[in-house]
């Protein structure tokens, strides 16, 4: 039996975002996200709260890109996923396993306690890692980690510890890539946007992000807007769905989530957790 997996509410596509470092520009970025109903994930360094940092932009020098004091901004991230970005943002692959484990463990513990939330996701500092990094993530209960290698494609990840995003917001192909996404016929098509909020201050182009998010919101009828962990957990659950044929045929969902799909006959079906439904 052939069938096509869908996102919740039979949506054919999904859109998610991922922003790093917990900088003061997150405040304005989150206001744009809230304005248009955009969801996503913020990857934070618990050990670098309040760190002062100034960068040179295109039109101005010494732009304040300091990190937020997270203890003062718990409500800012309400409604978004908080994920790990290591404790102090080192090149993790340059550290031995015990140091990598400590960087991840202390960040996860600090963020979990501060936000009263389970920390299940991560983004690699500088986009670099090795096998020890992945092992340390697994040992700390992390289910996925984002790299910095843009693919310009819309395929769902098959290894969530090497989750490559679609595109960075600074890329001049951003809007045309989204237009291609709208035409995509891939099963569980996914557009994954990433970056750092301070880059909007450096480039003086928060208006561009407002325009892009508005464009995304205009297609809510076909796009599942979700955080990284929501995408990760749904895809992992959806891939467990199977069809078993004996005397009678059954769809079986061994996962803990409702799974949406369309059969080869065109029937839309939802199968609940640990349920099987008769279907010929």
């Amino acid at each position: 039996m052939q069938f096509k997996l869908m996102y919740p509410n039979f949506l054919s596509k999904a859109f998610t975002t991922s922003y790093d470092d917990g900088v003061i520009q997150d405040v304005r970025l989150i206001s744009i996200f809230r304005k248009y109903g955009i969801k996503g994930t913020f990857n934070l360094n618990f050990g670098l709260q309040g760190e002062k940092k100034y960068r040179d932009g295109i039109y101005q020098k010494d732009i304040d890109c300091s990190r937020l004091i997270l203890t003062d901004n718990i409500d800012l991230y309400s409604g978004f996923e908080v994920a790990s970005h290591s404790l102090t943002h080192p090149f993790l692959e340059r550290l031995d396993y015990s140091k990598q484990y400590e960087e991840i463990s202390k960040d996860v513990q600090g963020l979990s306690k501060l936000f009263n939330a389970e920390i299940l996701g991560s983004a690699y500092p500088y986009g670099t890692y090795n096998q020890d990094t992945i092992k340390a993530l697994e040992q700390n209960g992390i289910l996925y980690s984002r790299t910095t290698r843009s693919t310009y494609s819309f395929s769902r990840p098959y290894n969530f510890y090497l989750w490559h995003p679609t595109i960075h917001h600074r890329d001049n192909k951003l809007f045309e890539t989204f237009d291609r996404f709208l035409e995509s016929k891939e099963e569980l098509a996914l557009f994954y946007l990433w970056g750092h909020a301070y880059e909007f201050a450096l480039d003086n182009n928060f208006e561009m992000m407002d325009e892009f998010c508005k464009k995304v919101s205009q297609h809510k009828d076909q796009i599942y807007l979700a955080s990284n962990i929501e995408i990760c957990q749904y895809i992992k659950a959806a891939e467990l769905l199977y069809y078993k044929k004996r005397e009678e045929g059954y769809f079986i969902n061994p996962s803990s989530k409702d799974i949406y799909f369309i059969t080869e006959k065109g029937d839309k079906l939802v199968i609940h957790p640990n349920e099987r439904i008769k279907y010929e």
Side-chain angles (χ1 to χ4, degrees):
M1 170 66 69
Q2 299 295 314
F3 56 92
K4 183 177 181 180
L5 294 169
M6 306 292 285
Y7 288 108
N9 299 317
F10 299 105
L11 297 174
S12 61
K13 299 174 172 62
F15 178 90
T16 194
T17 64
S18 179
Y19 278 81
D20 299 349
D21 297 351
V23 293
I24 60 175
Q25 286 80 16
D26 281 2
V27 175
R28 185 168 178 184
L29 178 60
I30 286 174
S31 72
I32 294 173
F33 283 172
R34 293 193 194 282
K35 178 179 177 182
Y36 295 109
I38 302 299
K39 299 296 180 68
T41 298
F42 287 86
N43 309 294
L44 308 178
N45 308 101
F46 186 77
L48 297 179
Q49 296 183 60
E51 180 189 54
K52 295 297 182 183
K53 185 118 181 185
Y54 295 85
R55 301 173 185 265
D56 292 342
I58 295 177
Y59 306 106
Q60 180 183 342
K61 292 185 179 296
D62 295 327
I63 297 172
D64 189 356
C65 301
S66 299
R67 296 173 189 265
L68 292 165
I69 298 174
L70 299 178
T71 52
D72 295 338
N73 287 276
I74 296 172
D75 291 342
L76 173 66
Y77 295 101
S78 177
F80 297 90
E81 179 192 5
V82 168
S84 174
H85 199 39
S86 79
L87 185 69
T88 63
H89 206 290
F91 287 91
L92 287 169
E93 81 286 359
R94 298 178 183 176
L95 307 177
D96 63 27
Y97 175 75
S98 63
K99 290 293 186 182
Q100 291 199 49
Y101 183 93
E102 182 179 4
E103 276 284 336
I104 295 164
S105 178
K106 287 187 175 180
D107 193 45
V108 168
Q109 291 174 19
L111 294 175
S112 176
K113 183 176 181 180
L114 180 62
F115 289 95
N116 191 28
E118 193 172 15
I119 306 300
L120 298 173
S122 170
Y124 296 109
Y126 306 108
T128 60
Y129 51 88
N130 59 19
Q131 287 300 316
D132 280 346
T133 318
I134 295 172
K135 180 182 176 181
L137 291 171
E138 292 175 331
Q139 291 298 311
N140 279 284
I142 298 297
L143 300 181
Y144 74 82
S145 194
R146 194 212 76 223
T147 74
T148 57
R149 181 169 71 82
S150 296
T151 64
Y152 303 97
S153 68
F154 317 117
S155 299
R156 65 185 185 265
Y158 290 91
N159 181 348
F160 277 94
Y161 291 109
L162 299 178
W163 194 350
H164 307 305
T166 303
I167 196 169
H168 190 287
H169 73 251
R170 271 180 156 175
D171 198 302
N172 59 15
K173 294 182 179 179
L174 176 61
F175 282 84
E176 66 181 76
T177 301
F178 186 74
D179 287 337
R180 283 198 300 108
F181 172 65
L182 292 176
E183 300 301 319
S184 173
K185 303 299 181 184
E186 284 196 53
E187 183 181 58
L188 296 178
L190 172 64
F191 192 106
Y192 190 138
L193 180 70
W194 78 283
H196 308 82
Y198 66 74
E199 291 159 341
F200 297 111
L202 301 185
D203 299 340
N204 192 28
N205 67 346
F206 267 108
E207 292 75 15
M208 178 278 291
M209 192 59 169
D210 188 283
E211 179 185 355
F212 182 73
C213 290
K214 180 179 181 180
K215 183 179 179 73
V216 173
S217 72
Q218 291 170 341
H219 299 276
K220 287 181 180 178
D221 60 334
Q222 59 179 301
I223 299 176
Y224 174 47
L225 303 177
S227 67
N228 290 190
I229 191 58
E230 288 172 327
I231 298 290
C232 173
Q233 291 179 326
Y234 184 80
I235 289 177
K236 285 187 173 187
E239 289 177 336
L240 295 175
L241 181 71
Y242 65 98
Y243 181 79
K244 192 167 187 177
K245 179 71 175 176
R246 286 185 176 173
E247 296 81 11
E248 299 176 317
Y250 289 91
F251 280 108
I252 301 172
N253 175 14
S255 81
S256 61
K257 292 187 177 296
D258 289 343
I259 303 301
Y260 296 71
F261 61 103
I262 298 177
T263 70
E264 59 187 352
K265 297 177 184 178
D267 295 325
K268 291 184 175 181
L269 299 177
V270 182
I271 182 166
H272 303 300
N274 299 309
E275 180 181 41
R276 73 176 191 168
I277 57 174
K278 183 178 177 181
Y279 189 88
E280 292 291 344

